[in-house]
Amino acid sequence: MSSHKFELLDEEVEGIMDQVTDKLQFGAPQCKSHEERRTLLSEVERLLKDANDSLVEMDIEVRKAPEDYRTTMNSKIHRYQNELIRHHRQLEQERLTLSHIGGGGRPPLFATDPSTIDAAIRKQVQQGTAVLERTSASIARSTAIAVETEQVGTEVLGELGTQRDTLTRTRDRLIDTEGELTRSAFDHLYHAANNCHSTIKQYVSLCCLNSSTSQVIITFVVMF
């Protein structure tokens, strides 16, 4: 099964070939002036260039397709390439005719020798394929870098999440420890106060047994 892009390019090239055929077979003979004929031939040349660019993209899609479908896809490309060569020959013949009848205009794009035209077109296809392959390789490298960067970012986020959990647990432990220290200090002070109160009571009682009331009061005041 060919790719969706290949199918779209196939339809595009087929439509271009139909336009070129119509212009060369029916449009050119109906031109009323040399200028009109030159304009039509320039349009044909532009269409053929667009078709050639699309064929280069189709060739790249073939290389990415499963092996079982490449034969059918390649046959379409070869058919279009043959049509392209035929249309280029017709275009150059029209330009040559226009030049001979005194219409001027630009010189032929290729020599009229079919083998020369074929070689020139194939060279264009090869050059276009090389450019697209370099572009595809650059895109592949950029994609690999982006994927690697995303993986690193994911690992960093995961590590930060782990560190956050660790810090949260440490904070909770510190809060618990602080609470325990506060309770321990309060209990210590409470017991110390109770012990001090008991000692005072015992001393007062002892003084009451051995001294007068005034002496007890004086002694108590001196202690505090």
Side-chain angles (χ1 to χ4, degrees):
M1 181 178 181
S2 59
S3 68
H4 178 63
K5 183 176 181 180
F6 183 90
E7 298 297 333
L8 293 177
L9 291 168
D10 182 16
E11 295 177 3
E12 179 181 327
V13 174
E14 185 174 5
I16 291 175
M17 293 303 181
D18 290 341
Q19 292 182 61
V20 171
T21 299
D22 183 68
K23 289 181 181 296
L24 290 176
Q25 291 185 359
F26 305 105
Q30 295 177 3
C31 290
K32 298 178 181 180
S33 66
H34 298 319
E35 185 62 33
E36 184 178 355
R37 198 181 191 93
R38 280 196 298 271
T39 300
L40 182 140
L41 295 180
S42 295
E43 292 177 359
V44 170
E45 183 179 9
R46 177 183 58 79
L47 288 170
L48 292 177
K49 182 180 182 304
D50 291 342
N52 183 72
D53 293 342
S54 297
L55 286 177
V56 172
E57 293 188 52
M58 289 175 70
D59 184 65
I60 291 178
E61 290 300 309
V62 169
R63 300 184 187 191
K64 296 189 292 187
E67 188 71 31
D68 295 341
Y69 302 102
R70 292 183 184 178
T71 301
T72 302
M73 298 167 72
N74 276 320
S75 65
K76 289 186 177 183
I77 293 178
H78 292 155
R79 177 169 59 86
Y80 286 136
Q81 286 176 336
N82 291 332
E83 288 187 42
L84 199 63
I85 293 171
R86 179 169 55 83
H87 287 318
H88 269 296
R89 289 172 181 168
Q90 292 175 339
L91 174 62
E92 293 312 306
Q93 186 61 46
E94 288 291 338
R95 287 193 185 282
L96 188 61
T97 301
L98 183 63
S99 177
H100 285 169
I101 62 178
R106 58 177 294 177
L109 180 63
F110 299 115
T112 55
D113 181 17
S115 62
T116 304
I117 295 175
D118 188 14
I121 294 174
R122 293 186 185 280
K123 182 178 180 181
Q124 280 189 338
V125 172
Q126 291 173 354
Q127 290 175 342
T129 301
V131 171
L132 286 177
E133 285 179 345
R134 289 195 296 270
T135 303
S136 299
S138 177
I139 293 174
R141 288 193 298 271
S142 299
T143 302
I145 292 173
V147 170
E148 183 178 356
T149 302
E150 182 180 2
Q151 291 175 347
V152 171
T154 301
E155 293 175 359
V156 170
L157 287 176
E159 192 165 329
L160 288 175
T162 302
Q163 292 179 359
R164 182 188 61 185
D165 294 339
T166 302
L167 290 174
T168 300
R169 290 193 298 270
T170 302
R171 183 197 62 187
D172 293 341
R173 285 197 298 269
L174 287 174
I175 292 174
D176 293 340
T177 302
E178 182 181 4
E180 292 176 359
L181 289 174
T182 301
R183 287 193 298 270
S184 176
F186 179 79
D187 292 342
H188 179 73
L189 291 174
Y190 178 77
H191 292 306
N194 284 339
N195 292 334
C196 182
H197 182 67
S198 299
T199 302
I200 291 172
K201 287 177 65 177
Q202 292 174 2
Y203 185 78
V204 170
S205 298
L206 182 61
C207 289
C208 288
L209 292 176
N210 300 315
S211 304
S212 62
T213 302
S214 59
Q215 289 177 330
V216 172
I217 293 173
I218 292 172
T219 303
F220 184 79
V221 170
V222 171
M223 290 182 61
F224 289 90

